[in-house]
Each structure stands twice: as structure tokens, then as C-alpha cells.
Amino acid sequence: MSGLPDHLRKPVRGMRDWTPRQIYALRHVEDTLRKVAESFGYRQVETPVVEHFEVLAKKAGQEIVNEIYVFKDKAGRDLGLRFDMTVPIARLLSYHMEIPKPVRWYYFSKVFRYDEPQHGRYREFHQFGIELVGSSTPRAEVEVLQVLAESLNAVNAGNYLIMLNDRRAIDKLLERWELTPYREIIYRALDKKSKMSREEVLKIMTAGGVPLDKAEKLYDAASEIELHDAVDFLTALDSNLGSFYSQLVRYLEDAVPLERVKFNLSIVRGLDYYTGVVFEVFAGEYKLAVGGGGRYDDLLQLYSGVKTPALGFAIGVERLMEALGLLEVEKPIDYYIYVFDDEGYRVAIKIARKLRQSGYSVVIELGEKNLKDTFEYVLKLGVKHLMIIGKRELERGVVKIRDLGKRLEYEIPIEQL
Ligand code: AMP
């Protein structure tokens, strides 16, 4: 009897199991984040995990297309697993054009990417995020960034840092420096800035044809600056962009702690669909981004045919939990009832029913363990009270309760339960 080989006892590569303690940690984070979104008037949405491949491929960008889980169903349809929630929501809205705009929706959902699994990178993971669809004023940016900031505060990740950038700013700069033909390679290089050395990043650009002096200039420009300096920089680049940002920063001052938001031209983000503001958010010392987002004013048009401005963010929930060190939460059982015989068992059933009706969780020992083994078991299981129904106690109409947290033992009359 050897059972399954080891590799089949583990979940499929890049996926994970969730034990109850881990699920309760996830639930805790979910409940907390959900409350924040709801307090801003956002409502929850869910879609199927399976989409038409064509829907997913439409605006995913080559990098993501390679990461889509694809398969055919038995009827030969080309399908795929959703890699984020923005695309399915765009599809849903194109099918429900009657939904009044602006739409404020949030999700807490599983998504799938055929990524190379490593620390903080999984093939199945959860995203919490919001979408604000149908608005193009910078107040929409303010709102989305505020929900993001409040979400991080709510889970005690108050030491977050939001790195802001704008696709329009990079594009303007590339135009200025006559680098537009190298846009794609430059995006790819800038995206690597936090992970590679200066030489390596420059090499990506020069190998793609960017002249070295311009590559160096771009590299140096793409560093972290204060928001107020960003306004000056953007105004010099383009007056419209400048006035958008001066308004944005003015509003942001009242909405989020401004010292937690920086501007950084190297934040480009992988997903192809962004058109304006893009951002990534970091939590404490955790190296990888715990979230990201931005404005994608053209995405919905691809699905509905109607131009609809939109923006949003997504937080990678597993990464957030790792950053917080919040991996397990115990949910103890309120009462574990130990009985010695059938008479005690029948009393236990009645007591348990009453306690459950009052909202307590109650387990009755199945009669296969002695008291000592039960004691060891409940300590491992996580139990608040061990209730012992013994013959002598029953005769006196009481039960014995051991408070395992406070290490106290006392008796309670049965009718008081
Ligand atoms: P994106 O949809 O690519 O903007 O990702 C949003 C967030 O999801 C990222 O900031 C990460 O926190 C998280 N995320 C992205 N890819 C993965 C992955 N493979 N495993 C775990 N989390 C991820």
C-alpha cells in the first residue's frame, strides 16, 4: 500500500491548496477589502473563469497571450481561463450596455496565468480590484487611488508606496527625443529597471537600436520624483498633461497621504491596454508589486464598439498576504463536548442544538477517544471550551466546562446553557 507518488499528492505546479487556517486568513483579508470598496459605493461582480479565447486575446498583449491557459472544450470551442478581471468585465459591459455609467464594481476573484512559478508568482491566484467605468475626469483617478490607499490602510499595510506614471508622458517624451519607433523595446527595458542593472537595461535599449546617449538620458529621467516636481516636468512636456496633473495632485492632497505617492517614469506595466495613468503599489519591504492599475480608455471600445473611458486597479491577494505576514488565522471551535456514555451523548445532542441556535460552533466527541486523548486533540484543533458531561455531574444537573484559553474549570447548571 504505497498510495500516490509524491508529485501527485502535491497540487498542480503553480497552484496551491488552502487549509482552513489559510482560508480564514484569506477571508479576513477579503472581508476587510470588500468593506472598503463597498464604503465607496462599489458593488461586487463575478464572471465565469472560462472565456472565449478570442475575448482574452483581443487586448492582452503578447506577453500575456503566452500566459493564457488555453484549451478546447468537447465541442471544439477555443477557450481560455481569465488572466485578470478587467477583460471579462469589459466583455460583460459590452453585452449589458444598458447598465448606467459610471459603473463602480469590485471583485475578489481567482485568475490564472501560465507564468513561471516562483516566489510571489503563481499560476492560480486571487485578485481584489475595482473598475470605474464611464468617467474621464481626474476625479476618477483620485477616487481609484483613494480606494487603493484605504484598502492598504484597512489591512494594516499603511507603509505602502504608490508609484505613478502616465503612458502619455512616456510617449510624449519618446516623440520629443525622436524615439517613437523604439517604443516597444523602451517600454520593455524601463519595465526591467527595478530588476536589472543600469548596464543590462541600457543594453536592451541599444540592442533594439536606441542610440546610447538617448538610452542613458531616458534611463536617468526614469527615476522616482515627488508629485509636485512631476507636475513641473509634465507641464514642460505637454501643457494639457501638465494641467491634468496639477489638478490631480491638488485633489489628491485631500484624498491620500501625498508622501505615499511618487511619480516614476519607469512604471510602464505589462498589460497592453493602458492609455493614461498607470501605477504600481508596494507594501513595506516586500520586493514585488502587491498591486497595479491604470486608465484604459480604449479597451471597452474593442468589445462594445463604443468609446468608454475606464480605469481601475488590482491587488494580488497572495502577495499582499505575504507582505503582511498574514498567512494563517485560526478559527477556534466554541464548544467541544466530551461524553462518557449514551446517556451523556443524548444530553449532549440537546445542549449542542441550543448552543448552535445561539450562534456557537459545537462539536460532540464521537466516543472513540478517552478523555486524555481528547484533551490533546482539542488543544491541537483549536477549541475555546471543553465541556465534559459526566455521570456524577448529570445527576446534579450540571456540566463541567474547561476554558482552554484561560485555563479555568467550572460547572454550569444545564438549564443555564
Ligand atoms: P496585473 O493584472 O498584471 O496588473 O497584476 C496585478 C497584481 O496581481 C500584481 O501587482 C500582483 O500583485 C498580482 N499578480 C500578478 N501576476 C501574479 C502572479 N503570477 N502570481 C501572483 N500574483 C500576481
Side-chain angles (χ1 to χ4, degrees), residues 46-278:
E46 184 55 286
T47 68
V49 293
V50 179
E51 289 281 346
H52 293 286
F53 177 71
E54 220 176 308
V55 168
L56 297 174
K58 207 165 174 72
K59 196 59 177 158
Q62 195 50 46
E63 209 170 301
I64 289 276
V65 167
N66 295 337
E67 289 177 5
I68 299 177
Y69 270 93
V70 286
F71 56 97
K72 277 191 196 296
D73 71 3
K74 291 182 183 178
R77 295 181 190 93
D78 289 310
L79 304 176
L81 301 184
R82 63 187 182 197
F83 55 82
D84 74 2
M85 285 300 286
T86 303
V87 166
I89 288 171
R91 180 205 38 81
L92 190 168
L93 288 173
S94 74
Y95 176 57
H96 282 289
M97 298 289 282
E98 76 286 359
I99 294 173
K101 313 281 183 317
V103 172
R104 287 181 172 85
W105 283 353
Y106 78 91
Y107 53 84
F108 190 100
S109 302
K110 271 188 179 177
V111 299
F112 306 84
R113 294 185 192 177
Y114 203 81
D115 236 346
E116 204 39 53
Q118 49 190 284
H119 179 67
R121 201 172 283 282
Y122 313 107
R123 290 184 173 173
E124 178 187 56
F125 59 99
H126 294 80
Q127 284 190 335
F128 162 76
I130 66 168
E131 306 292 350
L132 173 50
V133 177
S135 171
S136 46
T137 136
R139 291 187 190 175
E141 266 82 356
V142 175
E143 180 172 312
V144 167
L145 290 169
Q146 195 180 6
V147 180
L148 177 63
E150 297 290 351
S151 299
L152 293 159
N153 262 335
V155 294
N156 292 324
N159 56 349
Y160 61 86
L161 190 63
I162 299 174
M163 295 281 208
L164 204 62
N165 187 16
D166 200 298
R167 288 268 170 109
R168 292 166 299 179
I170 316 183
D171 289 349
K172 206 80 208 167
L173 199 67
L174 298 188
E175 196 185 303
R176 248 313 147 84
W177 294 352
E178 294 170 340
L179 290 172
T180 307
Y182 309 105
R183 182 173 180 267
E184 227 164 90
I185 197 85
I186 289 173
Y187 268 47
R188 189 137 35 93
L190 290 180
D191 192 39
K192 299 279 183 281
K193 205 177 166 216
S194 62
K195 299 156 214 146
M196 289 182 174
S197 70
R198 181 186 159 93
E199 281 58 44
E200 285 170 307
V201 176
L202 292 178
K203 208 166 153 193
I204 298 177
M205 288 199 261
T206 51
V210 181
L212 180 63
D213 59 330
K214 286 185 178 170
E216 283 176 333
K217 219 160 90 172
L218 202 57
Y219 185 94
D220 296 335
S223 53
E224 189 182 309
I225 56 173
E226 298 298 322
L227 277 192
H228 287 290
D229 298 330
V231 173
D232 298 341
F233 167 75
L234 294 165
T235 306
L237 203 57
D238 179 89
S239 61
N240 286 333
L241 209 52
S243 60
F244 179 92
Y245 271 87
S246 69
Q247 211 174 15
L248 177 63
V249 172
R250 194 146 29 88
Y251 293 148
L252 273 182
E253 266 169 350
D254 298 313
V256 302
L258 222 50
E259 71 277 9
R260 303 235 155 260
V261 190
K262 309 275 179 217
F263 192 86
N264 191 331
L265 271 182
S266 75
I267 301 295
V268 289
R269 320 239 330 104
L271 296 176
D272 245 15
Y273 50 59
Y274 294 107
T275 53
V277 172
V278 285

Side-chain angles (χ1 to χ4, degrees), residues 29 44 47 59 69 125 144 171 250 275 290 306 326 366 377 407 416-417:
V29 173
Q44 191 170 8
T47 68
K59 196 59 177 158
Y69 270 93
F125 59 99
V144 167
D171 289 349
R250 194 146 29 88
T275 53
V290 296
V306 180
L326 182 72
L366 298 173
Y377 173 69
R407 293 159 175 267
Q416 263 187 36
L417 281 161

